[in-house]
Amino acid sequence: MWNHSGSQNGPFNMYSYYIGYNPPTSVNPYPKFPRIHNSAFLSPFTYIVGDVIIQSNTYIGPFVSIRADEGTPFYIGSNSNLQDGVILHGLKNRYIEKDNNKYSIYIGNKVSCTHGSLIHGPCRVDDDVFIGFKAIVYNALIGEGSFISSGAVVTNGVVLEPNRFVPPGAHIDTQEKADRLSPVPQTEEEFAKEVQRVNQEFPAAYSLFFGKNKCSCGLAC
């Protein structure tokens, strides 16, 4: 807010988010608390529940919802970013595997999930993947270095080989379509790397505003 002299009185935002146990249900009867590395950053108005692991220097933007209350567990690697409005949720008893472990959602290192994208389990997103604005990934395995453009949908159990390019608005819902995808163009690869570079600076930079010392639940102290 501003006073009559034009100077700013602050802070004018509450640093508020919800991090907690999943509610016990017949589908998921065992409450578990998220485990969040103390160098990750959670923006205000983030919602995280259940068996969720978030690794180092990962940026979670405003209004991100990470709900491991049905499908579980979720894993999010280091140096990744989930930008404003990203949603993570999973179906009960549906899993993918990574390194002999079962996950509802697995997101690797240096993955960009950009504004408004939906990542729904069961799915696996390997390292260095870019998921564009309002794209949907559901019941799919996305190979390392792939680029999913804005508004695209990847689903129906398909497997994308590494470094595949999904064009804007495309629906990749058969393995035949997935196998026809071309490599990521150099321009898009460079764009994805620049998005990564910028977002890897955000956890430390934003922590100057909100406090860099956090417990494993993500709360600043």
Side-chain angles (χ1 to χ4, degrees):
M1 63 188 303
W2 299 86
N3 63 22
H4 294 296
S5 65
S7 62
Q8 187 174 8
N9 294 322
F12 55 87
N13 275 331
M14 294 292 291
Y15 184 33
S16 58
Y17 44 65
Y18 183 83
I19 302 168
Y21 294 97
N22 56 285
T25 65
S26 61
V27 171
N28 190 359
Y30 305 109
K32 292 189 177 181
F33 207 84
R35 289 165 288 170
I36 302 170
H37 195 276
N38 62 10
S39 65
F41 178 78
L42 309 181
S43 296
F45 315 115
T46 297
Y47 185 91
I48 306 174
V49 296
D51 190 358
V52 177
I53 294 174
I54 301 177
Q55 298 286 19
S56 62
N57 201 52
T58 283
Y59 170 75
I60 308 296
F63 302 103
V64 169
S65 176
I66 304 174
R67 280 203 298 127
D69 54 7
E70 181 183 345
T72 185
F74 296 175
Y75 177 93
I76 303 168
S78 298
N79 294 304
S80 289
N81 61 88
L82 277 60
Q83 299 177 16
D84 314 46
V86 168
I87 296 173
L88 269 62
H89 195 246
L91 294 179
K92 66 177 182 179
N93 301 324
R94 299 280 303 277
Y95 303 100
I96 54 85
E97 289 195 8
K98 176 69 175 181
D99 298 330
N100 297 317
N101 293 312
K102 289 185 176 180
Y103 300 94
S104 174
I105 295 176
Y106 177 92
I107 294 176
N109 302 320
K110 295 190 286 186
V111 172
S112 291
C113 303
T114 66
H115 311 297
S117 54
L118 168 62
I119 296 87
H120 204 289
C123 71
R124 182 176 120 194
V125 180
D126 286 340
D127 297 348
D128 297 299
V129 167
F130 180 93
I131 300 175
F133 309 133
K134 296 187 180 298
I136 297 173
V137 177
Y138 162 58
N139 188 20
L141 194 161
I142 311 301
E144 182 174 350
S146 292
F147 189 107
I148 300 173
S149 301
S150 299
V153 178
V154 183
T155 189
N156 207 28
V158 302
V159 177
L160 266 60
E161 294 297 322
N163 194 41
R164 296 299 97 180
F165 177 70
V166 179
H171 281 232
I172 308 302
D173 54 4
T174 68
Q175 193 59 44
E176 182 181 13
K177 290 181 182 179
D179 292 341
R180 291 201 304 260
L181 293 171
S182 60
V184 179
Q186 184 176 354
T187 54
E188 303 300 345
E189 182 179 352
E190 291 173 353
F191 175 70
K193 287 180 179 178
E194 180 61 15
V195 170
Q196 265 299 318
R197 187 194 67 77
V198 170
N199 278 272
Q200 284 182 31
E201 293 186 20
F202 281 157
Y206 272 112
S207 291
L208 296 176
F209 295 155
F210 297 111
K212 64 182 180 179
N213 296 316
K214 296 186 286 293
C215 75
S216 61
C217 69
L219 293 171
C221 48

